[in-house]
Amino acid sequence: MRTDSSPGTLPAREHLPAGDAGTPVLDVVIPVYNEEKDLGPCVLRLHEHLKRTFPYAYRITIADNASTDTTPQVAKRLEAEIAEVTSFRLEQKGRGRALRTVWSASDAPILAYMDVDLSTDLNALLPLVAPLISGHSDLAIGSRLARSSRVVRGAKREFISRSYNLILRGSLQARFSDAQCGFKAIRRDVAQVLLPLVEDTGWFFDTEMLVLAERAGLRIHEVPVDWVDDPDSTVHIVKTATEDLKGVWRVGKALTTGALPLDRLTRPFGDDPRDRDVQDVPKGLARQLVGFCVVGGLSTLFYLLLYSVCRQFSGSQIANALALLVSAVANTAANRRLTFGVRGRGGAVRHQAQGLVVFGIGLALTSGSLAALNAASSDPSHSTELAVLITANLAATVLRFLLFRAWVFPDRDGTGGPESTVVAAHAPSSPTYQTGGLPSYQQPFEPRGPLPQRPAQQPYAPQGTTTTQFRAGEAADGTWRDSTMRLQPVRPHDSDPGEPR
């Protein structure tokens, strides 16, 4: 049985040392596009707040994505005047592109960003990053929809924000409350592995990052914020909403087809050293129990309906056998897809055959119960028959789950079964980014250890890229080790006139 502490996962989170000097602990990125008026007051206010309240070393990075006004000059002036401020220039638009580039380049262990209008009260900044510094969480977001948040904005934006989050919850099963608040943070070790999977370069970047992190089981901390709407915001609501819906469709499709290698983002079972020695911790047991109970409840209703129909023209034993057979086939198919996450046609016939064996055991239990009832009473009532069958089915259900989990749909990742495949997509050449006149250099893609090169087509990989497949946690020499790919960070001041993906 595979465990959450198996090879191929992210390392356990560590509390950042309090006395670490030199490298900033926090890098706050401010993505801007044509913000010559607001940039100066924003940076000065943020710098004053950090200098007064933040106990660690910090950096403020201005990420200018292709501004056409005097924003680059304002950024350079602020960089020259304030030691903790640096600027970064990209020649292509896109807030997501700017954040991914700067975060990939940063050497700070905690990476954050906030919108230039500073709509979010800065008193929430320390609570935002504290769980990341302590090692408690992987990402942190400000939430305007939490119960204790205080928000001032118009009814139109309130309706759009809540509708968007309802769409995320309904389509992508997102559990975080606010995807669009421009106030987020992430640990750098997580960002190095998560960001290469995020495809969007615009406003949907935040949502895609959060959905993938949540699906991979990473811990997302939410901070209630005080937020005042900026009436002069330049965000185009209709265009942004359209792009967001396209992104929801794309990510939902990728998650449904299993095209994303989320295995490399999982954490160990526990961060306490004692927890790392725990063996045979079932993966996803709680989720599988919930799914099995839901499928089982619906199957039971379906079974009882079929039994009642068949009982009109046949005896109890025949009606029970027919109803149980049909419901067993439907139950196995539903549990295969929904409870145990098995997709595709591979092994479907074998799974149904094994499911019929489980059905035979259930048939023996329920038929034996009916036989015992008929022996005890020559003419039992229909309600008595149903009560006996329900009790027998409850006992058969427990046994069915155990057999499904251990025999029909076992997790074979660690027992010599079908290996899990992690697909890493990388461009044939290393991207570079343009920065105002400073030297540029490339960002090599270097996974740890040599990997066997086999071309493969991956549906989620961008066009024009090659892919490499390898077993999670297995190196080319056949030994097992941490398979988390160590991505060489893009250092500040890179250049690429074209799309880096």
Side-chain angles (χ1 to χ4, degrees), residues 74-94:
V74 176
K76 287 298 182 184
R77 176 175 56 81
L78 291 168
E79 182 179 24
E81 294 176 355
I82 304 175
E84 292 83 6
V85 174
T86 184
S87 64
F88 194 99
R89 167 78 176 179
L90 282 84
E91 298 301 333
Q92 287 182 293
K93 288 181 61 176

Side-chain angles (χ1 to χ4, degrees), residues 65-215:
N65 51 116
S67 293
T68 57
D69 60 3
T70 61
T71 297
Q73 289 75 24
V74 176
K76 287 298 182 184
R77 176 175 56 81
L78 291 168
E79 182 179 24
E81 294 176 355
I82 304 175
E84 292 83 6
V85 174
T86 184
S87 64
F88 194 99
R89 167 78 176 179
L90 282 84
E91 298 301 333
Q92 287 182 293
K93 288 181 61 176
R95 185 185 68 164
R97 178 182 288 109
L99 287 175
R100 183 176 57 197
T101 304
V102 176
W103 278 355
S104 298
S106 180
D107 56 353
I110 306 299
L111 311 169
Y113 96 88
M114 61 182 62
D115 291 336
V116 70
D117 56 17
L118 292 187
S119 296
T120 304
D121 182 27
L122 292 178
N123 286 328
L125 181 56
L126 185 55
L128 182 80
V129 301
L132 309 186
I133 294 175
S134 69
H136 174 271
S137 301
D138 299 293
L139 298 92
I141 64 174
S143 175
R144 299 163 297 183
L145 303 180
R147 289 181 179 273
S148 56
S149 298
R150 295 184 296 177
V151 177
V152 179
R153 62 175 169 181
K156 179 180 178 181
R157 284 184 174 269
E158 181 76 11
F159 174 77
I160 292 174
S161 180
R162 292 188 178 275
S163 298
Y164 180 64
N165 282 281
L166 284 175
I167 291 173
L168 293 180
R169 289 175 178 268
S171 59
L172 299 178
Q173 288 79 51
R175 295 189 298 272
F176 46 85
S177 65
D178 192 352
Q180 294 176 310
C181 183
F183 197 71
K184 296 181 175 68
I186 185 173
R187 288 177 64 99
R188 183 168 65 95
D189 57 346
V190 176
Q192 287 180 326
V193 186
L194 176 60
L195 295 185
L197 303 181
V198 180
E199 183 175 325
D200 190 79
T201 59
W203 292 95
F204 187 69
F205 174 88
D206 306 52
T207 301
E208 185 171 0
M209 177 180 69
L210 291 174
V211 169
L212 298 187
E214 187 176 72
R215 284 300 186 95

